[in-house]
Amino acid sequence: MSGIARLRCDQVAPVLGDVAANSALVVASVERALADGVDVLVLPELVTCGYVFRDRDEALRSAITTDDPLFVRIRGLLDGTDTVVVFGFGERQGQRVRNSVAVVDASGTRAVYRKTHLWDRETLVFDAGDEAPPVVGTVHGRIGVLVCYDMEFPEMPRMLAVAGADLIAVPTNWPVGEHPERDRVAEVIAAQATARGNGVFIACCDRAGTERGQDWNEASVIVDQFGWVVAEAAPAAGSTAVTADVFPTLARDKSTSPHNDWLGDRRPELYEREVPRA
Amino acid sequence: MSGIARLRCDQVAPVLGDVAANSALVVASVERALADGVDVLVLPELVTCGYVFRDRDEALRSAITTDDPLFVRIRGLLDGTDTVVVFGFGERQGQRVRNSVAVVDASGTRAVYRKTHLWDRETLVFDAGDEAPPVVGTVHGRIGVLVCYDMEFPEMPRMLAVAGADLIAVPTNWPVGEHPERDRVAEVIAAQATARGNGVFIACCDRAGTERGQDWNEASVIVDQFGWVVAEAAPAAGSTAVTADVFPTLARDKSTSPHNDWLGDRRPELYEREVPRA
């Protein structure tokens, strides 16, 4: 059983198509995280390449493979530490271009996940992944991975919770949306409900930096296993880091009353039944 | 395609064990609803009998069957109208005691659903239902039914949305819980995320009236298909009605971008895959 872990979502502003600059941004973020004693660093979706591509060809030009020097560089920075880095990258995988996330620690690349639910024009640019999201065992707890729109499908975080995830790391690029003043942004509400309903911690790392006229919610957030926000980006803060010390393995206690348990109370056989229509 | 529907959650205060008084409460609520042009009236969970039973025997003493005169009385009040009433009742079903909900209109009892996810000491008092929640076709749209804790299992509202529900009616008894001042109560956040993620309207009718020392959130709420609150009970308002005019069949448009659809973007085959563990 591990103890307290310092989580950080580093809401940086990548530059569209500039892999060298963005790799330097990632390296600098990892260096800051190590200096600050961060245990789990989450960076945005597609942080290596940016988001608003005109087409597939443009995305391919800044896509990297999993043997890119950036992975070696991060691993090197993490050498001798227990820190884990989760970051999004545009991936060239054979003839395909993916919206991917890597989980890297001192031992190397622990997992690569390719986004399976593509949002809006991503459907014209990227090839959707066909594999289930992974859970990575670390000294800081078991980390599940989703990318942005994936989280909006409750089946996805549920899979990760059932597979034992304590914390779900969600690199995102949340296009700016309107919301009533009383409410947080819609995606944060989704993260809160998801965290509570599965009894897991969730860390969503949004991005900053207007790109071809597109702004973002800039609403990076760390949510506890009860669905409450423990750290969040200030509105319109731009590039900023959100950091919180949490106890990820507390997520293993799913009890919610003397007679209830978030996962134990599921009735999977019922969910396969046909809905009666009257 | 139907048009605008006036929804109401009537957050009344039933009296524990007093079926006669509670039946009169329900009748008065239906009469008010008809006077106010309400199309869909939702009443609390277990409104006929109250909630905080000491044991199964006590619950059985105020349980009714589906041929109780109350059903006939409601149907009679609705005669000649298109109004639909959704209310919770303690049900005696053979040797079992259920936490049930009925959907009644002028044609009679359209559906009865028995709560399938029991909360806390309900597990000692009630027999959990074993059937899927229903969807009832009405002139005001297709109404799905859940009871309180059922809604916290995302599989349940998902079933109803996939089966075509436009509106999910959720009779509840939400035991009072703490929440940060910035946030709404946890169950309302869950309703918001559920409505948005399925593109459906949700009407949760909570209750009022302290019962054996138990207070309630008194947080009845009507949420639109984007997850935003359109009507809600004021904090600690006690017995109060929450009413909103909405367009339930707008829920049939699940598109969220030119390339996305809340239900069409699901990948059910993926959700059956094994989660890779690293």
Side-chain angles (χ1 to χ4, degrees):
Chain A
M1 204 80 163
S2 52
I4 289 174
R6 180 163 295 174
L7 312 185
R8 172 174 292 174
C9 298
D10 201 354
Q11 181 176 285
V12 296
V15 177
L16 186 67
D18 192 341
V19 177
N22 295 330
S23 294
L25 194 69
V26 170
V27 165
S29 175
V30 173
E31 289 172 337
R32 283 194 303 275
L34 291 171
D36 294 343
V38 169
D39 296 305
V40 181
L41 172 66
V42 187
L43 283 155
E45 179 181 8
L46 296 176
V47 68
T48 58
C49 58
Y51 183 88
V52 188
F53 294 106
R54 294 199 203 284
D55 54 32
R56 181 184 169 85
D57 283 349
E58 189 183 40
L60 262 174
R61 284 198 290 278
S62 54
I64 61 178
T65 62
T66 53
D67 54 10
D68 188 89
L70 177 61
F71 292 82
V72 180
R73 182 74 195 279
I74 294 173
R75 178 183 178 169
L77 290 169
L78 300 180
D79 190 44
T81 79
D82 287 327
T83 295
V84 180
V85 176
V86 183
F87 70 101
F89 64 109
E91 181 186 12
R92 179 190 292 267
Q93 190 191 27
Q95 295 307 304
R96 301 187 188 276
V97 55
R98 305 285 197 184
N99 181 336
S100 299
V101 165
V103 180
V104 178
D105 68 13
S107 70
T109 301
R110 298 288 306 282
V112 174
Y113 167 67
R114 283 106 193 173
K115 187 177 186 178
T116 51
H117 300 75
L118 299 178
W119 173 251
D120 204 353
R121 294 192 75 264
E122 291 173 43
T123 54
L124 309 178
V125 172
F126 294 101
D127 299 294
D130 292 311
E131 290 176 31
V135 172
V136 179
T138 79
V139 71
H140 309 297
R142 297 186 290 246
I143 304 175
V145 178
L146 296 174
V147 187
C148 202
Y149 188 48
D150 284 332
M151 189 187 69
E152 311 271 358
F153 295 81
E155 296 88 348
M156 296 287 284
R158 189 62 118 193
M159 292 174 77
L160 293 173
V162 169
D166 302 311
L167 162 69
I168 302 180
V170 191
T172 74
N173 285 183
W174 284 334
V176 68
E178 296 196 344
H179 60 97
E181 198 174 335
R182 172 70 181 88
D183 290 299
R184 301 175 189 275
V185 302
E187 294 88 347
V188 172
I189 292 173
Q192 291 183 273
T194 300
R196 174 170 176 270
N198 291 288
V200 295
F201 294 83
I202 296 187
C204 298
C205 186
D206 200 3
R207 60 163 289 178
T210 303
E211 197 177 276
R212 289 183 169 159
Q214 179 65 57
D215 291 309
W216 318 93
N217 281 330
E218 299 181 348
S220 295
V221 69
I222 297 171
V223 181
D224 71 17
Q225 80 277 37
F226 306 115
W228 303 122
V229 169
V230 291
E232 61 182 320
S239 293
T240 190
V242 169
T243 307
D245 293 338
V246 304
F247 204 130
T249 52
L250 287 179
R252 294 178 196 181
D253 176 7
K254 302 291 186 196
S255 66
T256 51
S257 87
H259 302 283
N260 292 101
D261 179 289
W262 279 128
L263 296 184
D265 289 348
R266 292 178 71 235
R267 300 190 57 185
E269 80 296 348
L270 185 72
Y271 310 145
E272 302 303 319
R273 293 268 179 89
E274 188 155 2
V275 169
R277 288 177 179 79
Chain B
M1 203 81 162
S2 52
I4 289 174
R6 180 162 296 172
L7 312 186
R8 172 175 292 174
C9 298
D10 200 354
Q11 181 177 284
V12 295
V15 177
L16 186 67
D18 192 341
V19 177
N22 296 330
S23 294
L25 194 69
V26 169
V27 165
S29 175
V30 173
E31 289 171 337
R32 282 195 303 273
L34 291 171
D36 295 343
V38 169
D39 296 305
V40 181
L41 171 65
V42 187
L43 282 156
E45 180 181 6
L46 296 175
V47 68
T48 57
C49 58
Y51 183 89
V52 188
F53 294 106
R54 294 198 203 285
D55 54 34
R56 180 183 170 84
D57 284 347
E58 190 183 39
L60 261 174
R61 283 197 290 278
S62 53
I64 60 179
T65 61
T66 53
D67 54 9
D68 188 89
L70 178 61
F71 293 82
V72 179
R73 182 75 195 278
I74 294 173
R75 178 183 178 170
L77 290 169
L78 299 180
D79 189 45
T81 78
D82 288 326
T83 295
V84 180
V85 176
V86 183
F87 70 100
F89 64 108
E91 181 186 13
R92 180 190 292 266
Q93 189 191 29
Q95 295 307 305
R96 301 185 188 276
V97 56
R98 306 286 196 183
N99 182 334
S100 299
V101 166
V103 181
V104 178
D105 67 13
S107 70
T109 299
R110 298 288 308 280
V112 174
Y113 167 68
R114 284 106 192 171
K115 186 176 185 178
T116 51
H117 299 76
L118 299 178
W119 173 250
D120 204 353
R121 294 192 74 264
E122 290 173 42
T123 55
L124 309 178
V125 171
F126 294 100
D127 298 294
D130 291 312
E131 291 177 29
V135 172
V136 179
T138 80
V139 70
H140 310 298
R142 296 186 292 246
I143 304 175
V145 177
L146 297 173
V147 188
C148 202
Y149 188 47
D150 285 332
M151 190 188 68
E152 312 272 359
F153 295 81
E155 296 88 347
M156 295 288 283
R158 188 64 119 193
M159 291 174 79
L160 293 173
V162 169
D166 302 311
L167 161 68
I168 302 180
V170 192
T172 74
N173 285 183
W174 284 334
V176 68
E178 297 197 343
H179 60 95
E181 199 173 335
R182 173 70 180 91
D183 289 298
R184 298 176 190 274
V185 301
E187 293 87 347
V188 172
I189 293 174
Q192 292 183 273
T194 299
R196 175 172 176 268
N198 291 288
V200 295
F201 293 83
I202 296 187
C204 299
C205 185
D206 200 3
R207 60 163 287 178
T210 302
E211 197 176 277
R212 288 183 171 160
Q214 179 65 58
D215 291 310
W216 318 93
N217 281 330
E218 298 181 348
S220 295
V221 69
I222 297 171
V223 181
D224 71 18
Q225 80 275 39
F226 307 116
W228 302 123
V229 169
V230 290
E232 61 182 321
S239 293
T240 189
V242 169
T243 307
D245 292 338
V246 305
F247 204 131
T249 52
L250 287 179
R252 294 179 195 180
D253 176 8
K254 302 292 186 195
S255 67
T256 51
S257 87
H259 302 282
N260 292 101
D261 180 288
W262 278 128
L263 296 184
D265 289 348
R266 293 178 69 233
R267 300 189 58 186
E269 80 296 347
L270 184 72
Y271 310 145
E272 302 303 319
R273 294 267 179 86
E274 188 155 5
V275 168
R277 289 178 179 77

